[in-house]
Amino acid sequence: MGILGRFLNIVYLVLLIKCVYAEDEKSPWNWTCEDGKCVKSLLDPKSRTPALSLNACKMFCNEYGLLWPLPTGEVDLGNFLSKININKIDIQIPKRGKTDSLMDAAGQRFRQIVSLLVPNELSAKASGKALTVSLVNENPDIGEFSLDMDESYTLRVTPMSNNRINATITGNTFFGVRHGLETLTQMIVYDDIRDHLLITRDVNISDNPVYPYRGILLDTARNYFTVDSIKATIDAMAAVKLNTFHWHITDSQSFPFVSERRPNLSKFGAYSPSKVYTKKIIKEIVEYGLVRGVRVLPEFDAPAHVGEGWQDTDLTVCFKAEPWSSYCVEPPCGQLNPTREELYDYLQDIYSDMAEAFKPDIFHMGGDEVSERCWNSSEEIRQFMVQNRWDLDKTSYLKLWNYFQTKAQDRAYKAFGKRLPLIVWTSTLTDFTHVDNFLDKDDYIIQVWTTGSDPQIKNLLKQGYRLIISNYDALYLDCGFGAWVGSGNNWCSPYIGWQKVYDNSPKVMAREHSNLILGGEAALWSEQVDTAALDSRLWPRAAALAERLWSEPQGNWQDAEYRMLHIREHLVRMGIKAESLEPEWCYQNEGYCYH
């Protein structure tokens, strides 16, 4: 055969390939479901069976498809996928009320996330069925967070006779409807074989979280985080139905919260004039969170963990004391002086500014790592102790701490205008042997940061205290890096993988007292992280926590691995720079990399 003949053969082959793949079959690969796993094979152009893309296969190859977190009620994903037209998504809100703006914004966000399902370099064909999304909010005037808010929803997807798919989401509040929309986005996949968006049909889901408090703590005092990075964190939280952004906004290293009543605190305490959070900025973030079903919970940690910003107040003791290791757990040291009456005016002003900026339904008062040695270094405090006929031992300094806490609690109630629930960290004050002498279980929620096997958990529950679980051996996401003071690794090493986060069950810790567990929270303390590394430290590990707290699944991480890889991909499509867990080959070849 001559050169011309070979050339014509190549042209014929290229044309043949184009005929096979041009319209409906771009990819040479097809996936089929075998024994609960999607198996990859070369597409047979002669086969009359419609080829399945990888994500289309994953949607039907197991009971829960690609949903994250697992729904807690009925799950029926049907057996069919329908093409939908990305340009024909109609959102209807039949019941109107005070949450209209929230519902409208949630609908807009749904459209945006659906558009992100299509890879950047591609575009979905503008053909297929129209999608009507009906959002039924049974109580459209309820738009406030609370610990007993209803987050349940039902989702029904059905084909209509007029070339239309109908998805109806019903919830008793905006928050439930919003969660239902999040689930619906996970039931739409991009088909890279045909360049179409596909939606699961004949779907019935009912869902409700196990725990009402599902959070992430971000410390913005050790290092500053941009407003955009905080918003991105809230976006990712919404995607996995976490509902509380716990903002540890001040500490001894910096005071970036702008208190309008006490402006010198941020003037002297912020890292720079640009690294602050004003009331306007905070209100913007609070509203951003509300649309996404995420409360923004402020923490003002006291009486310890204070320093920068308080220099001109004369209300602290042992600030920058050396050697610091004798007075606190990390530099710089600093604690408030409970004996100064002026201090409580300062606190009420800070609380009032936080009340106006955050409008929270709960408030975190800190109470972490108070040092008796620090207080004992002050002659003024020692004299106060003697005048009150207290000794200078640990037991007596608990009385001083309680003196502070009682007065601070009263000022908090005045500032917020109500007796809102208060949260404190586990500490010597909350030890079960004497906690009931200091903290009323009806007023206080205790956040546990010690290990998951700490007997304090069981004993505090026995006494009727409500708990939030943040045990550092599974939920401190800053662990496992190099020490920032000295050499070696940081104090809570080793690194905590998503598997340990996933298997960390509050129900197992609480057993018969699980009704007193409000939920849990992953903490990211920021001594060794800032905006540049935020996404990879949190994600996708925080997604593992999200499923544990929403569903309390009976299975372990191995049962969730195939879906975990997908939710990580989903977060990346949303622009979150989530840490990679495995080679992409594992995502495309299910089962080979697992346990």
Side-chain angles (χ1 to χ4, degrees):
M1 184 183 294
I3 294 175
L4 179 60
R6 286 198 299 272
F7 174 75
L8 290 175
N9 272 348
I10 292 171
V11 170
Y12 174 76
L13 182 60
V14 169
L15 289 174
L16 179 63
I17 291 172
K18 283 189 175 181
C19 287
V20 173
Y21 295 117
E23 280 302 316
D24 276 343
E25 273 137 13
K26 268 181 69 175
S27 169
W29 300 109
N30 176 40
W31 275 264
T32 55
C33 183
E34 297 178 11
D35 298 324
K37 295 180 177 64
C38 289
V39 178
K40 178 180 175 182
S41 61
L42 275 171
L43 187 64
D44 180 0
K46 297 178 182 179
S47 173
R48 296 187 177 183
T49 303
L52 278 179
S53 64
L54 175 59
N55 285 338
C57 176
K58 286 175 180 280
M59 186 65 75
F60 292 119
C61 204
N62 62 84
E63 182 182 0
Y64 297 107
L66 297 173
L67 301 183
W68 192 285
L70 290 176
T72 57
E74 175 191 11
V75 179
D76 184 353
L77 298 181
N79 297 302
F80 297 98
L81 287 162
S82 290
K83 295 179 184 177
I84 57 171
N85 189 333
I86 194 171
N87 297 321
K88 292 184 178 180
I89 298 176
D90 179 33
I91 296 176
Q92 299 179 353
I93 305 173
K95 283 191 174 186
R96 290 287 178 171
K98 293 179 181 177
T99 57
D100 283 359
S101 61
L102 297 178
M103 297 283 284
D104 291 337
Q108 284 297 109
R109 182 173 180 275
F110 170 77
R111 286 193 179 94
Q112 179 189 18
I113 293 177
V114 169
S115 70
L116 293 174
L117 298 176
V118 183
N120 285 333
E121 66 276 9
L122 301 173
S123 59
K125 291 177 182 174
S127 59
K129 297 185 177 183
L131 173 64
T132 299
V133 182
S134 181
L135 305 179
V136 182
N137 184 352
E138 300 291 7
N139 293 284
D141 290 335
I142 298 176
E144 297 81 31
F145 291 106
S146 70
L147 287 172
D148 56 2
M149 65 186 180
D150 191 333
E151 297 179 85
S152 65
Y153 69 91
T154 60
L155 170 59
R156 306 284 181 263
V157 182
T158 53
M160 310 301 284
S161 57
N162 55 351
N163 205 32
R164 182 175 292 272
I165 300 290
N166 182 72
T168 300
I169 298 169
T170 305
N172 287 323
T173 66
F174 159 74
F175 302 105
V177 173
R178 194 222 71 82
H179 292 324
L181 269 174
E182 212 67 58
T183 300
L184 185 60
T185 63
Q186 296 180 9
M187 298 171 59
I188 301 172
V189 297
Y190 174 70
D191 180 359
D192 60 4
I193 295 177
R194 300 170 185 82
D195 282 342
H196 264 108
L197 286 179
L198 305 176
I199 190 171
T200 50
R201 262 183 39 190
D202 311 314
V203 169
N204 285 289
I205 294 175
S206 60
D207 201 5
N208 189 39
V210 172
Y211 299 108
Y213 185 106
R214 308 178 303 280
I216 286 176
L217 175 149
L218 182 63
D219 160 22
T220 62
R222 274 52 180 260
N223 277 307
Y224 176 82
F225 292 81
T226 65
V227 172
D228 284 346
S229 72
I230 291 173
K231 287 181 175 179
T233 298
I234 291 173
D235 272 321
M237 292 174 68
V240 294
K241 303 186 179 77
L242 290 168
N243 71 357
T244 302
F245 178 77
H246 173 176
W247 196 342
H248 185 91
I249 197 168
T250 64
D251 214 289
S252 61
Q253 288 90 350
S254 78
F255 198 107
F257 171 70
V258 177
S259 168
E260 293 179 350
R261 291 171 174 83
R262 303 286 181 173
N264 280 352
L265 290 169
S266 57
K267 180 181 178 180
F268 296 131
Y271 284 126
S272 77
S274 64
K275 293 182 176 180
V276 295
Y277 304 106
T278 62
K279 181 187 291 184
K280 181 181 178 183
I281 287 171
I282 291 169
K283 284 185 172 181
E284 180 184 321
I285 291 172
V286 168
E287 181 64 24
Y288 194 86
L290 179 58
V291 169
R292 289 154 182 78
V294 178
R295 71 158 56 82
V296 180
L297 163 67
E299 176 186 355
F300 178 66
D301 198 357
H305 288 264
V306 296
E308 295 291 348
W310 292 85
Q311 289 95 325
D312 70 335
T313 66
D314 199 28
L315 296 175
T316 65
V317 295
C318 76
F319 178 46
K320 290 187 177 177
E322 290 293 343
W324 61 264
S325 57
S326 297
Y327 300 97
C328 62
V329 297
E330 66 180 53
C333 299
Q335 288 184 187
L336 296 175
N337 184 344
T339 70
R340 296 286 184 92
E341 279 303 309
E342 185 188 359
L343 169 64
Y344 302 100
D345 296 331
Y346 263 77
L347 291 181
Q348 186 168 335
D349 285 345
I350 294 168
Y351 297 156
S352 296
D353 285 320
M354 286 187 165
E356 293 167 4
F358 290 92
K359 293 183 167 56
D361 62 305
I362 45 182
F363 180 57
H364 206 301
M365 299 190 75
D368 191 25
E369 296 175 329
V370 172
S371 166
E372 296 86 3
R373 277 191 177 186
C374 173
W375 275 338
N376 197 47
S377 68
S378 163
E379 177 63 28
E380 181 182 357
I381 290 177
R382 290 199 303 272
Q383 287 180 5
F384 181 86
M385 302 282 283
V386 172
Q387 287 168 6
N388 282 275
R389 297 182 179 180
W390 295 339
D391 295 325
L392 299 179
D393 56 9
K394 284 191 175 185
T395 301
S396 296
Y397 276 113
L398 285 178
K399 294 176 183 177
L400 179 64
W401 187 351
N402 181 57
Y403 172 84
F404 166 85
Q405 190 64 37
T406 302
K407 292 173 77 71
Q409 177 181 354
D410 178 61
R411 295 303 185 103
Y413 288 158
K414 287 178 180 176
F416 289 100
K418 58 183 176 180
R419 293 179 66 89
L420 77 175
L422 303 172
I423 307 175
V424 292
W425 292 102
T426 45
S427 63
T428 53
L429 190 70
T430 68
D431 190 284
F432 73 91
T433 59
H434 55 236
V435 63
D436 53 352
N437 295 329
F438 303 126
L439 303 178
D440 189 320
K441 63 177 177 292
D442 294 327
D443 295 339
Y444 284 94
I445 298 160
I446 298 175
Q447 186 164 2
V448 178
W449 68 268
T450 51
T451 66
S453 58
D454 189 342
Q456 292 287 339
I457 295 174
K458 180 179 68 175
N459 287 300
L460 286 170
L461 290 170
K462 280 183 178 179
Q463 294 187 49
Y465 284 90
R466 294 166 293 167
L467 303 185
I468 294 167
I469 302 297
S470 295
N471 51 305
Y472 76 79
D473 53 339
L475 296 179
Y476 270 29
L477 302 187
D478 54 304
C479 299
F481 297 87
W484 65 277
V485 174
S487 61
N489 295 327
N490 61 15
W491 73 274
C492 57
S493 293
Y495 182 85
I496 297 165
W498 77 267
Q499 299 93 332
K500 191 166 188 179
V501 176
Y502 190 91
D503 286 348
N504 190 66
S505 169
K507 185 177 180 181
V508 171
M509 295 178 203
R511 300 192 183 278
E512 68 271 21
H513 300 290
S514 58
N515 63 304
L516 289 171
I517 300 287
L518 295 181
E521 185 167 87
L524 185 59
W525 303 104
S526 69
E527 287 92 344
Q528 296 176 276
V529 60
D530 59 13
T531 299
L534 176 59
D535 284 2
S536 62
R537 293 287 172 91
L538 283 178
W539 307 103
R541 290 185 292 168
L545 172 72
E547 178 152 299
R548 174 56 58 188
L549 296 178
W550 181 277
S551 316
E552 264 290 8
Q554 293 183 349
N556 60 19
W557 66 267
Q558 290 151 318
D559 302 307
E561 187 168 8
Y562 70 94
R563 287 182 301 106
M564 180 51 140
L565 297 182
H566 179 78
I567 195 62
R568 188 261 172 188
E569 294 290 317
H570 182 69
L571 291 169
V572 170
R573 279 194 296 272
M574 289 175 59
I576 303 299
K577 297 177 178 63
E579 185 177 44
S580 179
L581 299 176
E582 298 174 8
E584 189 172 353
W585 186 89
C586 302
Y587 184 72
Q588 295 186 358
N589 294 268
E590 290 190 319
Y592 286 96
C593 302
Y594 303 168
H595 41 280

